[in-house]
Amino acid sequence: MSDNKTSTGRARILTGDTPTGQLHLGHWVGSLENRVALQDQYECFFLIANMHAFTTRADKPADIRRSTIDIVKDWIACGMDPEKSTFVLQTEIPGIAELSWYLAMLLPFNRVMRNPTLKSELEDKGLGDNYSFGFPMYSVGQCADILLFRPELVPVGEDQLAHIEPCREVARRFNQMYCGVNPHTEDEDYVKAGGLFPIPTGLVGRVARLVGTDGKHKMSKSLNNAIFLNDTFKQIKKKMGGLYTGRMTMDEPGDITNSLFEYVHAFIRDDDRIKELEEAYSKGDNIGDGHIKVEVAEHIDKLLEPMRERRVPYEGEAGDQKILELLREHTKQANNAAEETLYLAKQAMKIDFGKRSLLFE
Ligand code: ATP
Ligand code: MG
């Protein structure tokens, strides 16, 4: 751990979600579960990347706003605690856009475009050649989202690791160029050596990449293959039922590396039972896919049960208002942390022509 000093003395976490839909089981196993587990130990900043939602949905502002509120409801439902952590609404933090500009100068254009996640997102989301200039820009923006909060740890799904890498590169470059840190410094020593930014580490969740109910792509809120955190048991059963395995009969030996077994491992948290299922399935021992799907659906339902309860006080229009209120309160805390880093960055860049203070009503 580096000497990164924060107001609470605890190391920080920054991570977040784009409001392009509701949160799903992939988010839970990939990132949310770690957020909930680490929120006591770390000073946490959880970001709603609503500015980035415009990179693919500029024509749907009402949807983005709806999803922003829904995602905060999902967060609270899954146990992320607004009393312990700071919720950061990206569009209310001007420092993010500002730092994005400075960091953009330190990232070669070809490096940004080479990002494999960016390429597969273009493909998966069918963006073809018509994507906006802002779309690849989001990859630079993400570096600013992260670095502005000077976190040490970024809990993400596997697909996002490729976005953390340029962030680590740009943090090293900034520290070397503007803070005089020797390029041979070990990553964990950058702050000790006088750098502003710790070199953050991605923390991949228990399941790095949960497959969607299409059995093919990663579960994604944009791909119509997700089980959402607020789905009912009926919906979960129906979606699990549609998972394609290609197996025809109960006595046909099954492949225990198929997508159904990815779900078995992710949601039946009982090693003995998993072993039993694997043995019976691989032998074709009178066990149907349908049976296993129902069993997985029951486990998922049990996982989501307490989430449904925590969601109750935030239902409907009154619930929306509570969320907006909460976001307004948290914006102040978030800007305090963000502005502190931004000013230090501007000092390092010799553009500290006056300390501004942001007023928020
Ligand atoms: P979109 O389709 O709009 O890209 P998404 O479902 O990929 O949405 P994001 O908001 O891009 O969700 O991702 C939020 C976080 O959840 C990231 O850290 C991402 O890596 C993680 N995540 C998303 N989907 C999965 C998945 N299927 N398995 C594991 N982690 C995931
Ligand atoms: Mg995504």
Side-chain angles (χ1 to χ4, degrees):
M1 188 152 298
S2 76
D3 286 2
N4 185 30
K5 290 274 182 293
T6 66
S7 50
T8 60
R10 279 179 299 166
R12 285 181 176 165
I13 278 180
L14 177 292
T15 187
D17 305 299
T18 325
T20 45
Q22 289 170 309
L23 296 188
H24 53 64
L25 292 175
H27 294 116
W28 173 254
V29 292
S31 175
L32 299 171
E33 198 175 34
N34 270 336
R35 300 181 201 177
V36 174
L38 296 172
Q39 63 186 344
D40 288 312
Q41 202 180 328
Y42 285 80
E43 184 183 4
C44 293
F45 292 88
F46 298 126
L47 176 98
I48 307 182
N50 62 334
M51 196 188 286
H52 291 181
F54 280 83
T55 61
T56 53
R57 296 178 190 212
D59 57 336
K60 297 192 178 71
D63 289 1
I64 296 174
R65 190 182 175 93
R66 179 68 257 154
S67 172
T68 296
I69 296 170
D70 287 342
I71 282 186
V72 181
K73 290 186 185 184
D74 280 333
W75 283 359
I76 294 173
C78 79
M80 290 162 60
D81 186 346
E83 299 290 323
K84 293 179 181 167
S85 303
T86 304
F87 293 177
V88 183
L89 183 57
Q90 194 179 38
T91 47
E92 292 302 312
I93 314 296
I96 291 178
E98 213 170 329
L99 186 63
S100 300
W101 265 88
Y102 304 134
L103 298 184
M105 316 306 168
L106 305 186
L107 276 166
F109 180 76
N110 289 337
R111 170 69 184 92
V112 173
M113 300 311 291
R114 220 173 48 224
N115 181 335
T117 296
L118 212 60
K119 284 188 184 165
S120 61
E121 275 182 297
L122 285 174
E123 209 169 288
D124 289 349
K125 293 173 186 174
L127 298 174
D129 285 336
N130 295 320
Y131 58 88
S132 64
F133 182 76
F135 184 75
M137 183 63 196
Y138 110 77
S139 145
V140 180
Q142 194 156 304
C143 299
D145 294 336
I146 296 172
L147 296 181
L148 199 57
F149 292 90
R150 287 180 283 159
E152 320 231 331
L153 216 55
V154 187
V156 286
E158 190 183 45
D159 64 307
Q160 290 293 319
L161 278 181
H163 282 302
I164 310 268
E165 213 35 57
C167 175
R168 290 160 57 81
E169 287 168 25
V170 86
R172 287 187 202 105
R173 208 161 294 141
F174 187 102
N175 288 330
Q176 292 163 13
M177 197 177 283
Y178 299 124
C179 309
V181 177
N182 182 326
H184 299 296
T185 304
E186 296 290 329
D187 280 350
E188 58 276 19
D189 294 334
Y190 263 81
V191 174
K192 220 185 286 168
L196 172 60
F197 298 116
I199 314 303
T201 313
L203 175 71
V204 174
R206 185 163 57 82
V207 181
R209 176 193 178 279
L210 183 70
V211 68
T213 53
D214 56 1
K216 208 161 122 202
H217 296 99
K218 110 177 164 69
M219 185 177 284
S220 166
K221 46 184 145 60
S222 324
L223 297 180
N224 208 9
N225 65 356
I227 296 179
F228 295 105
L229 298 183
N230 70 351
D231 276 351
T232 60
F233 183 46
K234 203 170 155 200
Q235 288 168 315
I236 300 166
K237 256 198 323 201
K238 184 156 183 244
K239 289 180 183 178
M240 277 309 300
L243 185 71
Y244 180 72
T245 65
R247 188 166 170 256
M248 306 301 278
T249 61
M250 301 213 298
D251 48 15
E252 182 181 324
D255 172 9
I256 57 167
T257 63
N258 70 13
S259 50
L260 177 55
F261 271 78
E262 285 189 40
Y263 280 79
V264 166
H265 282 275
F267 300 106
I268 301 184
R269 312 286 303 275
D270 171 346
D271 290 345
D272 293 339
R273 180 62 186 148
I274 294 176
K275 215 160 155 227
E276 243 170 53
L277 287 171
E278 283 182 336
E279 276 172 14
Y281 197 77
S282 55
K283 282 192 211 133
D285 196 3
N286 202 27
I287 184 160
D289 286 16
H291 172 85
I292 302 177
K293 286 174 180 176
V294 171
E295 191 167 330
V296 171
E298 283 166 356
H299 282 269
I300 293 173
D301 190 56
K302 220 180 278 166
L303 169 72
L304 302 189
E305 187 59 49
M307 300 191 193
R308 291 188 194 111
E309 276 162 35
R310 279 192 289 263
R311 202 183 284 279
V312 172
Y314 295 94
E315 270 164 8
E317 175 62 25
D320 290 1
Q321 288 309 320
K322 280 190 206 169
I323 297 291
L324 291 172
E325 192 58 41
L326 191 144
L327 287 175
R328 271 193 286 273
E329 271 169 35
H330 281 223
T331 290
K332 288 183 199 149
Q333 286 157 236
N335 268 311
N336 284 344
E339 288 292 304
E340 188 191 0
T341 307
L342 187 68
Y343 190 68
L344 292 169
K346 288 167 96 171
Q347 274 183 323
M349 296 173 73
K350 307 200 183 308
I351 47 172
D352 52 327
F353 293 111
K355 199 162 189 186
R356 74 177 177 210
S357 87
L358 293 175
L359 293 176
F360 288 89
E361 298 294 314

